[in-house]
């Protein structure tokens, strides 16, 4: 069987682990570290789509290989879609996941509507052409964080259809609901039609 190599344009090891649990043989995910690329990929744009495109095109320029990136945001409805594209830097540059969670819980105090969604946009560059795929996971933000798995906002996000936060789930359980999984399944279906 032909192996399909794809460079994944991220420095986030949590994302690499999740993507590798989804993209299995015949796909082979090459990380930036594997490819010997040590750069901070810019995310300067106002939309997830534009940031995902920027990341994949940056890495495509460097490697000239088929590659993909993803950009994800947590969109909270009563906060007009915040933190959205700013999810990584919600509490400011140089702040950590816990600071971001604390700010989110603070902003939601007293708000009855705690519904939210994670939205992932994957940008694939395949044979020099770009294709976008989107995955959404709907759920709600809980008042007190729970669980220690995963990353980012996982301890405060409970997906619809579960009582557990993402941080209380194994990776396989999270993948049953996850935005990232949904987007990557579309990428897989697309590539299967192209090459398998
Ligand atoms: P980016 O796609 O690297 O810009 O990620 C934005 C931020 O969203 C991350 O730093 C995390 O805080 C958060 N995030 C992205 N994906 C997830 C997830 O699956 N669970 C929890 N938080 C996430």
């Amino acid at each position: 069987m032909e192996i399909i190599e794809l460079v994944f344009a991220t420095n986030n090891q949590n994302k690499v682990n999740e993507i590798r649990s989804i993209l299995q043989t015949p796909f082979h995910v090459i990380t930036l570290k594997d490819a010997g690329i040590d750069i901070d990929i810019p995310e300067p744009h106002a939309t997830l789509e534009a940031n995902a495109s920027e990341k994949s095109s940056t890495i495509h320029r460097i490697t000239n290989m088929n590659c993909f990136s993803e950009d994800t945001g947590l969109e909270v409805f009563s906060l007009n879609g915040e933190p959205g594209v700013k999810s990584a830097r919600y509490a400011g540059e140089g702040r950590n996941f816990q600071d971001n969670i604390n700010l989110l819980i603070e902003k939601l105090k007293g708000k009855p509507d705690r519904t939210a969604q994670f939205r992932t946009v994957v940008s694939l560059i395949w044979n020099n052409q770009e294709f976008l795929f989107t995955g959404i996971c709907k759920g709600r933000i809980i008042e007190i964080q729970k669980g220690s798995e995963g990353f980012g906002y996982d301890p405060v996000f409970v997906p619809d259809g579960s009582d557990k936060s993402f941080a209380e789930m194994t990776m396989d359980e999270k993948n049953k609901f996850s935005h990232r999984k949904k987007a990557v399944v579309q990428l897989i279906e697309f590539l299967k039609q192209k090459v398998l």
Side-chain angles (χ1 to χ4, degrees):
M1 190 189 294
E2 188 196 345
I3 300 288
I4 301 161
E5 290 194 322
L6 294 169
V7 179
F8 181 24
T10 186
N11 289 313
N12 181 330
Q13 190 58 41
N14 292 288
K15 289 185 179 178
V16 171
N17 296 342
E18 283 191 18
I19 292 287
R20 280 198 163 141
S21 76
I22 304 165
L23 266 180
Q24 296 175 353
T25 319
F27 301 99
H28 177 62
V29 176
I30 300 173
T31 63
L32 294 185
K33 213 167 153 203
D34 296 338
I37 299 167
D38 181 16
I39 55 164
D40 243 354
I41 315 174
E43 292 184 2
H45 302 291
T47 63
L48 299 175
E49 286 79 2
N51 279 336
S53 292
E54 175 90 28
K55 289 190 260 191
S56 59
S57 59
T58 300
I59 297 308
H60 185 252
R61 265 196 306 278
I62 296 173
T63 62
N64 209 24
M65 289 174 72
N66 290 321
C67 65
F68 70 102
S69 71
E70 66 93 77
D71 204 42
T72 296
L74 174 65
E75 300 172 332
V76 181
F77 295 100
S78 63
L79 299 178
N80 299 318
E82 272 188 26
V85 74
K86 290 192 222 122
S87 292
R89 307 169 297 280
Y90 196 35
E93 289 299 337
R95 309 300 287 274
N96 61 25
F97 290 149
Q98 190 60 55
D99 296 325
N100 290 337
I101 286 177
N102 293 347
L103 179 60
L104 180 64
I105 287 177
E106 187 58 38
K107 288 208 178 194
L108 278 175
K109 261 196 190 134
K111 292 205 192 288
D113 179 5
R114 303 181 72 94
T115 55
Q117 66 182 27
F118 276 113
R119 190 159 64 89
T120 291
V121 175
V122 166
S123 161
L124 168 71
I125 299 186
W126 180 257
N127 292 345
N128 301 313
Q129 234 189 310
E130 187 190 19
F131 303 90
L132 294 177
F133 308 94
T134 300
I136 289 176
C137 174
K138 291 185 183 291
R140 65 194 166 85
I141 306 299
I142 52 177
E143 282 169 33
I144 299 171
Q145 66 188 79
K146 50 182 189 167
S148 55
E149 301 297 318
F151 69 105
Y153 299 90
D154 280 349
V156 286
F157 185 84
V158 173
D160 288 350
S162 177
D163 294 327
K164 288 186 186 175
S165 79
F166 269 166
E168 293 179 297
M169 297 183 184
T170 62
M171 201 178 289
D172 284 348
E173 281 180 281
K174 181 176 172 182
N175 279 341
K176 287 189 192 129
F177 301 95
S178 135
H179 41 294
R180 191 165 294 106
K181 165 84 184 262
K182 287 176 186 158
V184 173
V185 163
Q186 291 175 51
L187 175 147
I188 291 172
E189 290 307 314
F190 171 87
L191 286 179
K192 276 186 180 162
Q193 286 183 4
K194 291 274 178 201
V195 289
L196 298 183

